[in-house]
Amino acid sequence: MNSISKTRERLLKRELSCAELTEMYLAAARRENGDLSAYTLITDEEARRAAAEVDARLARGEKLPPLAGIPFVLKDNISTKDIKTTCASRMLEDYVPIYDAFVWSGLKEQGAVMCGKGNMDEFAMGSTCETSYFGGAKNPHDLTRVAGGSSGGAASAVAGGVAVYGIGSDTGGSIRQPASFCGLVGLKPTYGAVSRNGLIAYASSFDQIGPITTCVEDAATVFDAICRKDPADMTSRGAERVSGRLHSDVRGLRVGVAKEFFENLPAEIASAMERALDFYKRAGAELVEIAFPMLRYCLPVYYILACAEASSNLGRYDGLRYGHRAETFDDLDDLICRTRSEGFGQEVRRRIILGTYVLSAGYYDAYYNKAQALRRTIKNRFREIFTKCDLLLTPTVPVTALKCGAGLSPVETYQTDICTVSVNIAGLPAVSVPCGFDGAGLPVGMQLIGDKFTEARILSAALAFESGTGGAYLKDSGRGVSL
Ligand code: GLN
């Protein structure tokens, strides 16, 4: 695993050309992808084009932006003009966007080198990457385990050394959870910090794009590169840059601890959390007890609202305009029905049906409206919490990477999102940082949740932990490129 700064240094010192670096990553990606399924598509041509441009800029002695020349993986729900964007769905198996997502065009302008599109749960619905139409991404630390979801491919590629960093999306935990499973840093930015223009929508009031990286510093670098106001996304505001504002002094920092997040944890995760809390205490932070009784409502609120939004967002896949179209049909209704039944996998269909149900006349008040009211209550509670503490420390996931094909029921799978969804319900920023290992040596992650637009604060606290523990919880999978 490499960091952005280390890779950049090699490029700037001209020890390695960007073309050479890119070939190393492309070759490693081809070699490893059979095991990892991290990429749905390896984009050699685009990577080589970008690398040549960076080499030309270097030759001219130009100053390079921070991400220029750095190979990365872009989740396959982020639109790339003239390059397939599948959402890991049969519905979009051959879909080629006619425009770039705002985030991707910004990265391209910087000279970022996209090695490929990251595998994911179909339409970002899932927690294991196993709902991918192409088969799930594997965990580079143990190929019998999942990489997590839904941005499992991005996490697998970064931990597997076939991308330096990844760009994922997080609707209910999809950046933080795979980061936690793969021993990486995953940042879900404040809602509105990053433009969603060109991100194929799952649940628009929850979705947010963010980085998956090998260290905290890289998360800050990528965040700065992608958080810009975009006139085409009315919910985007951009955010202040964080690099250069990070520090690792946590003296006086008020770290909130809500016991609800720590209930029924497996012993190894509980002890990793204890150690992390102890670290902050010894470093001079103050631990503040917080009550968050509404945690028990977070999963139902999330799954009602996210499914409702999904049922509406996914209405556009009708077989008429783009995407999969059934070959045989009787009439228009039959065409739409067959197209959607064939094009969507089981989990996506389940959520569309759930969402349609909670929005239907007669059930709207009982489910959708109630969930909206609770969303407001949860937001208000967070507002109160952040008058009492500066950030909240929780586990990222109450389990470590699941076995592939573990066969959990849908509800059991949803339950593993218990620690992450409240952050999206309230539109807050949160980062997952590696903080331990279970008995099998699989990574454990902790989550630091902040108030809106306090990315610099949560990343500073994450940096304090990472540097204060000497990187003890960063684990190399021994795969891919090592510089
Ligand atoms: N696991 C959650 C879900 O299935 C979150 C997914 C995401 O953040 N995209 O909805």
Side-chain angles (χ1 to χ4, degrees), residues 25 97 117 136 345 367 382 438 478:
Y25 271 92
K117 303 295 296 281
Y367 294 103
F382 272 116
D438 70 3

Side-chain angles (χ1 to χ4, degrees), residues 75 124-127 149-150 169-175 202 302-303 351 414 417:
K75 187 174 179 178
M125 298 174 186
S127 307
S150 64
S169 69
D170 191 312
T171 305
S174 283
I175 288 174
Y202 161 16
Y302 170 77
Y303 276 96
R351 294 194 190 197
Y414 301 166
D417 296 331

Side-chain angles (χ1 to χ4, degrees), residues 127-380:
S127 307
T128 60
C129 203
E130 288 174 311
T131 72
S132 166
Y133 178 59
F134 307 110
K138 302 290 186 300
N139 195 311
H141 298 294
D142 175 352
L143 296 178
T144 68
R145 307 272 174 166
V146 302
S150 64
S151 313
S156 175
V158 177
V162 293
V164 180
Y165 70 94
I167 301 278
S169 69
D170 191 312
T171 305
S174 283
I175 288 174
R176 292 159 285 158
Q177 189 258 34
S180 172
F181 279 7
C182 292
L184 301 167
V185 174
L187 172 69
K188 183 262 173 213
T190 308
Y191 186 78
V194 181
S195 166
R196 290 179 295 107
N197 168 15
L199 168 67
I200 296 179
Y202 161 16
S204 312
S205 75
F206 297 80
D207 298 340
Q208 193 63 194
I209 295 176
I212 295 180
T213 58
T214 60
C215 61
V216 174
E217 187 197 6
D218 283 4
T221 306
V222 179
F223 175 73
D224 282 347
I226 60 174
C227 70
R228 267 195 295 146
K229 187 175 163 60
D230 171 11
D233 172 3
M234 291 195 356
T235 62
S236 92
R237 286 177 44 178
E240 258 182 81
R241 306 191 144 259
V242 295
S243 304
R245 289 202 289 140
L246 298 193
H247 60 83
S248 40
D249 183 1
V250 296
R251 280 174 303 173
L253 186 78
R254 298 170 302 165
V255 176
V257 187
K259 65 172 189 316
E260 290 83 355
F261 283 98
F262 295 79
E263 278 161 14
N264 305 319
L265 287 181
E268 288 148 345
I269 298 183
S271 63
M273 292 305 129
E274 282 304 319
R275 274 200 314 274
L277 287 171
D278 196 50
F279 167 86
Y280 282 109
K281 212 161 118 190
R282 277 186 290 116
E286 182 195 340
L287 302 188
V288 183
E289 237 180 80
I290 297 289
F292 191 61
M294 43 290 281
L295 183 65
R296 53 195 288 253
Y297 299 118
C298 287
L299 284 173
V301 166
Y302 170 77
Y303 276 96
I304 288 171
L305 296 180
C307 290
E309 293 186 25
S311 76
S312 158
N313 275 328
L314 272 59
R316 69 190 70 167
Y317 305 107
D318 53 11
L320 301 178
R321 289 167 286 193
Y322 53 91
H324 178 75
R325 177 183 294 175
E327 263 175 31
T328 54
F329 47 88
D330 297 333
D331 53 25
L332 182 61
D333 278 348
D334 192 41
L335 163 67
I336 294 174
C337 186
R338 280 176 195 252
T339 294
R340 289 168 67 79
S341 305
E342 291 171 9
F344 291 134
Q346 196 188 28
E347 183 59 27
V348 176
R349 294 202 302 269
R350 173 182 295 120
R351 294 194 190 197
I352 292 173
I353 291 168
L354 272 172
T356 309
Y357 177 79
V358 300
L359 287 174
S360 60
Y363 295 101
Y364 187 92
D365 281 337
Y367 294 103
Y368 185 77
N369 262 350
K370 249 192 211 161
Q372 285 290 31
L374 277 164
R375 184 176 202 179
R376 170 56 54 204
T377 309
I378 294 163
K379 281 186 182 176
N380 289 345

Side-chain angles (χ1 to χ4, degrees), residues 24 60 122 292 395:
M24 282 165 74
R60 288 196 297 269
E122 185 179 5
F292 191 61

